[in-house]
Every structure is written in C-alpha cells, then in structure tokens.
Amino acid sequence: MTVETDSAEIPVVIVGAGPVGVTAALLLARHGVRSVVLERHQDVYPLPRAVAADDEVRRILQAAGVDEEFDAIARPARGLRLLDARHRVMAEFPRAAQGAHGFPQTSMFDQPALERVLRAALARAPECELRAGAEVTGVEQDGTGPVQVTYRGAEGDHVLLADAVLGCDGAGSVTRAAVGSRWEDLRFEERWTVVDVRTSLPVRCWEGVDQVCDPARPATFMRIGEDRYRWEFRLPDDAQLDHERLRELVAPWVDLSTGADFEVVRQAQYTFRARTADRWRSGRVFLLGDAAHLTPPFIGQGLCAGLRDAHNLSWKLARVLQQGAEKRLLETYESERRPHARRMIRLAVAMGWAMTGGQDGAAALRRGALNAAVRIPGLSTAAARDLTPPLTAGPLVRRPSRLGPRGPVGGFCPQPWVNVGGRPTRLDELLGDSFAVLALAPPPPTVTAVADGLGARILSLTDLDDDGGLATWLREGRADAVLLRPDRVVMDVVPTGGHDFTGTAGWASLLHTSRRPLPAQRTTRTILLRSTTR
C-alpha cells in the first residue's frame, strides 16, 4: 500500500469538521495560524442535533467572524419553564433579549444551517483548508518531533505532520485513544427519544423551552425556527413512535388530526450521558467538544461547551506557535476548561434529576426540594443570570483575595455597544483579537509598560460612549483597570487606588514571547481605533 506524506509541516491539524472543529480553525485563522481540517463525511450532516446557544457562545461566533450570518438563522428564546405532570408552571427562568455579552441570552437554531455558515466562512479563509472524505486512522507522536496524522481518502492513505492536533471528532474520538484518555462517569445515563418536526399547525408555545418534571413521563419541548419544533421524551421502550403514540405525546402542545401537516424530520433514540475525559491533552494533541466531555441536554450546553473549548485554546496555541510563547501556557487549557465543563455537566445532571425525579429512594425528596426551591424569591432570575461560572483561579486567572469572590477576575468583560466617532460598534470590534486593557482613566506608566509587552490595546473609558455601563462594572469590581485576555476573560486587575496589576509575576513568564505580536486580523474600522488606542 502506498502512503503519501505531505512534505510541509502544518501548524495545526483539526480532526473533525463539526461546529467545534470549524470554529477552532476560524479562530486560529484570526490569529494568523494555518490549519487543515480533516472530516470523514463529504458534506454537512443534514439532520438537526444541537439547537441552542447562549450569549457567550454568540460572542465566540462573533470572534470567529460569523455573528451576522448566525443572527440571520437564529431565533431568540424567552427562557426555560419547569412544568409539573399536569403542565402547570412550577418555575420560570427568563432569558433576556440582550445579555452581558451583547446578544440574546438564548438563541435557537438548526445545526445544519449553522454548519453551512461556518463552512462558508472556512472557505473564505486562506489560512484554512478542509479535506472532506478524509477518515483519520491514526494519531502518533514521539514526544520530540511533529505529530503524525494518518488518514484515508479517495486516493489512498496520507500522512500529515503537524505542530499540534485538535481532536474535535466526537464521542467516539480516534484522537482520544491517541491521548490515552478514559471516561470519568458522572453518574447519569438515560435513554430518550428525540423528535424534530416541521409543521404549519398552531402550536401552543411560549417561545422558550418547556421541561416537564414528571417522573412517569418527563419531556422537553422547544421551538427552533419559524415552523420547526423539537420534542424529547423519556419512554419505557425504544420502539419507533407511530402516529397515534406521537399524537398522544404532543397533545399538550398541538392538536393532530389524520393527514395533518406534521412532518417528522427526524426521530432518533439517544442515550444521554454525563462524562468527562480524565485527561484532555498529551504532548501536542488536545481534545475538544464531545471528545472531551458529554453532557445531558437539559440546559442546552453541549455544543456551547465545545465552542468554549475552542475559544480558550485557540489564542493560547496561536501565541505559542506564532509568537514563541512558553509551551507551559498550553497546560492552562485543561486546568481551566475541565473544571468549568464539569460544573456545567453537574448542573445539567441536576436539572435532569429535577425533571425525572430520579430512579432511587431519594426521588420524592428531590422533588420536594425542587418544589420548595423554585418558590424562593429571586431564584429564577439569579439562576438565569449566573448559569456560567467564572473560571477557577490559576496562572492566567489572578484573583486578588482583597477583592473578594465577586471580583471580575475569571469572568468575562461585558460587551456593550459603544459609540466612538459617532458610529456604534460592539466593544470586541474595538478590542481586536489581542490582549486589551480597559481603564477608568489613562493608566500609570507601570500598566502601560505591561500592555506594551503583551501587545495589548489600552482603552480609556473616558473615550467611549457606552452609557456608563463599563465604568459601573469596573467600580463594582473595585478596579481602576482590567487586563483582558484575547478570549475576553478578565485575567488581572489594577485595584482601586492601585498602580499596577496584582499578579504580573505569576503570568508574565507564560506570556512572554520571542517574536513580535502579529497585527490583529479583525477588520475593525481604523478611524475608530485611532481615537481609542495609544
């Protein structure tokens, strides 16, 4: 058998061209990093799977350059309702039309439409190459040279040599085997039937998600698009639903009659699991998305977690590959993302137990606790607002003890619309793709020197017209300035009345580069930046 080896070493090979893999490629491209994406299928998988994105993920899609295209296919959702067995509302968790990240807090979409948007952007990016019909059969590394990726295509076997490999190849990941990773079971496994429907019939819908908390027949319902809906049911058997059984199940939402316009686009049985890989990296090989974690869908965070992985890793990988930063920087990917993903999975499991009541002797106790909890004043609003926790403290999350647990470090900087030079734009479009400093006033020389070393832009809030929201956020966090990472996480602060960042000694060695930063790839209007950068 002839095996063809590409002579040129490729900076990054991405295994899997689903939303996580393609988004990772687009984010790397914004930092000037070339990648080859290998996908065993020839085209986008045509049936819907993921259907929800939060505002943080909308911001990630903005960073990838597809926010306007995604907005055209997305539908804002009002939030989540918990219903009892008689479909009476037990609790409502509202989601705002604009969250802290500058987008609707929940958006519904059709995954094939999202994948087409992402692939169209990939085709426009000269740094990216998609090789469809390429089935990866091996990922090997010796610890010194490049990673060797073997794949089978229409013309035989090929070998690529890569500086890094991102395994975005799903739950059955070939890459995970190469990492030597095993699943850690977080103790949730249930078999559910998912039904996607297209209909013009009047559907009783509050434009959000319904979770039916009935141990005998738990269910989920949501509107995805203009005429698209999804139902999920936990049923006692795996039999396909005939028309009569389906008619009975959907009756609380829509009346079906013989010959009614009710097209079942897809009906499938899924086993919802809660798992995380015990290691997400080995040498130059990394796991992202379902290759690294599996979550029940009850809070709509499966795809969201994978896109967070891509956002967290891409800028770090670019800084190492393009700018010669310390390789230890890459260790922070797993140390930041794994605890965060685990917490979100446990939240989804808790929602699953709330819906189903569980399958053990404590089920009644859990249901009673849920009924009591949802009556606590303000709980619904707080739960909706604080769905995503901040990152835990670490080398790139320097949380000063004197600022308390509610300080801004580890969380995201809000993204308001700002008005500069008479033109409104989103904050991230001004910040670009690099580090940035937001300050209440022109910062002292020590802060300016740090910003210079990082290639960071400095924006004084006195030059921005955002209705005072950013200044209020800084003052509430007891900070005169914040240092933002390229993924917009607050890395460090200048405390009120201070003259320098609190943890420079902890992160400076990781971020020091041997080459000058590349120009930002974002197409921000230069005329706006002149008035806000140093």
Side-chain angles (χ1 to χ4, degrees):
M1 178 183 297
T2 301
V3 179
E4 180 181 342
T5 302
D6 284 25
S7 57
E9 191 168 324
I10 299 165
V12 180
V13 168
I14 299 173
V15 184
V20 175
V22 176
T23 299
L26 293 173
L27 292 171
L28 287 168
R30 300 292 282 240
H31 293 285
V33 179
R34 293 188 302 110
S35 65
V36 171
V37 185
L38 303 176
E39 170 57 50
R40 62 192 180 97
H41 297 294
Q42 287 289 346
D43 203 352
V44 168
Y45 186 72
L47 298 179
R49 288 167 290 170
V51 294
D54 60 24
D55 54 333
E56 180 187 337
V57 165
R58 289 289 302 265
R59 194 172 183 177
I60 295 172
L61 294 175
Q62 176 192 357
V66 297
D67 56 308
E68 292 184 1
E69 293 88 341
F70 182 79
D71 189 64
I73 65 170
R75 185 183 190 93
R78 290 177 58 185
L80 168 69
R81 296 191 308 187
L82 301 184
L83 310 180
D84 65 13
R86 296 173 61 182
H87 285 238
R88 296 173 300 188
V89 177
M90 300 167 59
E92 186 173 307
F93 301 90
R95 303 296 273 169
Q98 179 167 309
H101 295 280
F103 296 97
Q105 283 189 300
T106 299
S107 298
M108 311 304 294
F109 64 93
D110 180 52
Q111 182 170 334
L114 169 61
E115 294 200 34
R116 286 190 288 271
V117 163
L118 290 170
R119 289 207 185 183
L122 193 75
R124 296 191 299 267
E127 300 88 352
C128 306
E129 179 187 352
L130 171 63
R131 299 186 186 181
E135 182 177 2
V136 173
T137 56
V139 178
E140 300 177 3
Q141 57 181 333
D142 60 12
T144 57
V147 185
Q148 181 175 291
V149 181
T150 306
Y151 72 92
R152 182 173 297 116
E155 300 176 355
D157 287 352
H158 303 259
V159 173
L160 299 179
L161 302 178
D163 291 327
V165 172
L166 309 188
C168 307
D169 45 346
S173 171
V174 172
T175 318
R176 190 172 60 251
V179 168
S181 179
R182 297 183 179 181
W183 284 125
E184 176 191 0
D185 191 349
L186 300 182
R187 301 181 63 185
F188 186 94
E189 184 169 319
E190 290 187 349
R191 188 78 169 170
W192 284 62
T193 296
V194 178
V195 183
D196 286 287
V197 166
R198 179 182 288 110
T199 182
S200 60
L201 295 174
V203 179
R204 292 178 284 276
C205 176
W206 80 297
E207 299 298 338
V209 178
D210 284 341
Q211 303 274 29
V212 181
C213 303
D214 178 7
R217 186 180 289 176
T220 305
F221 164 71
M222 66 203 76
R223 183 174 187 171
I224 300 172
E226 188 64 30
D227 61 350
R228 296 289 300 276
Y229 304 87
R230 170 174 288 184
W231 281 269
E232 300 170 354
F233 303 101
R234 194 189 75 186
L235 302 175
D237 55 65
D238 291 341
Q240 291 288 104
L241 299 178
D242 59 23
H243 180 78
E244 287 305 313
R245 183 80 181 280
L246 183 59
R247 177 178 179 176
E248 173 195 354
L249 291 171
V250 304
W253 295 277
V254 60
D255 297 320
L256 297 186
S257 57
T258 304
D261 175 23
F262 195 81
E263 176 192 356
V264 176
V265 176
R266 180 191 66 151
Q267 181 185 152
Q269 282 76 41
Y270 284 94
T271 300
F272 296 159
R273 294 185 173 94
R275 293 178 176 178
T276 182
D278 62 358
R279 56 188 301 194
W280 291 27
R281 176 201 179 195
S282 176
R284 303 183 183 199
V285 182
F286 302 82
L287 302 180
L288 295 82
D290 285 356
H293 42 74
L294 298 174
T295 182
F298 304 121
I299 58 172
Q301 289 292 309
L303 176 61
C304 295
L307 296 186
R308 289 188 182 98
D309 296 341
H311 203 204
N312 185 288
L313 179 59
S314 58
W315 73 266
K316 299 172 182 177
L317 195 56
R319 197 163 183 89
V320 170
L321 295 180
Q322 293 287 83
Q323 297 172 241
E326 170 62 51
K327 292 181 180 179
R328 290 185 299 116
L329 175 62
L330 301 176
E331 296 173 5
T332 65
Y333 165 61
E334 180 175 347
S335 66
E336 290 182 349
R337 282 298 305 137
R338 188 169 178 237
H340 189 280
R342 186 186 179 92
R343 288 184 65 179
M344 297 302 288
I345 292 170
R346 290 207 177 279
L347 182 59
V349 169
M351 181 62 75
W353 286 131
M355 288 179 60
T356 66
Q359 301 161 331
D360 55 29
L365 182 61
R366 277 191 293 268
R367 288 196 298 275
L370 172 68
N371 287 330
V374 298
R375 290 174 172 80
I376 299 174
L379 175 65
S380 297
T381 302
R385 182 181 64 248
D386 300 325
L387 182 64
T388 304
L391 297 180
T392 55
L396 299 181
V397 178
R398 310 300 296 185
R399 187 171 288 122
S401 58
R402 62 182 180 275
L403 293 186
R406 296 187 179 275
V409 177
F412 284 91
C413 168
Q415 183 184 207
W417 285 90
V418 295
N419 197 320
V420 180
R423 301 186 67 176
T425 188
R426 296 185 188 275
L427 176 65
D428 286 359
E429 298 303 322
L430 292 178
L431 299 180
D433 299 297
S434 62
F435 286 85
V437 174
L438 290 182
L440 288 172
T446 49
V447 172
T448 301
V450 170
D452 284 338
L454 291 172
R457 290 192 173 104
I458 295 178
L459 275 73
S460 174
L461 299 190
T462 57
D463 297 327
L464 298 179
D465 178 9
D466 70 324
D467 296 328
L470 287 172
T472 299
W473 171 70
L474 279 173
R475 292 189 182 101
E476 289 177 349
R478 291 184 282 176
D480 282 344
V482 292
L483 176 59
L484 306 180
R485 305 176 348 175
D487 57 4
R488 300 303 155 236
V489 169
V490 179
M491 187 169 80
D492 206 341
V493 300
V494 177
T496 301
H499 300 285
D500 201 354
F501 295 109
T502 64
T504 309
W507 46 256
S509 62
L510 289 180
L511 298 173
H512 172 75
T513 60
S514 59
R515 297 184 289 276
R516 290 182 61 82
L518 293 175
Q521 298 297 306
R522 193 180 298 277
T523 57
T524 310
R525 289 176 285 273
T526 305
I527 189 170
L528 296 180
L529 288 174
R530 287 196 189 113
S531 63
T532 58
T533 56
R534 291 171 284 108

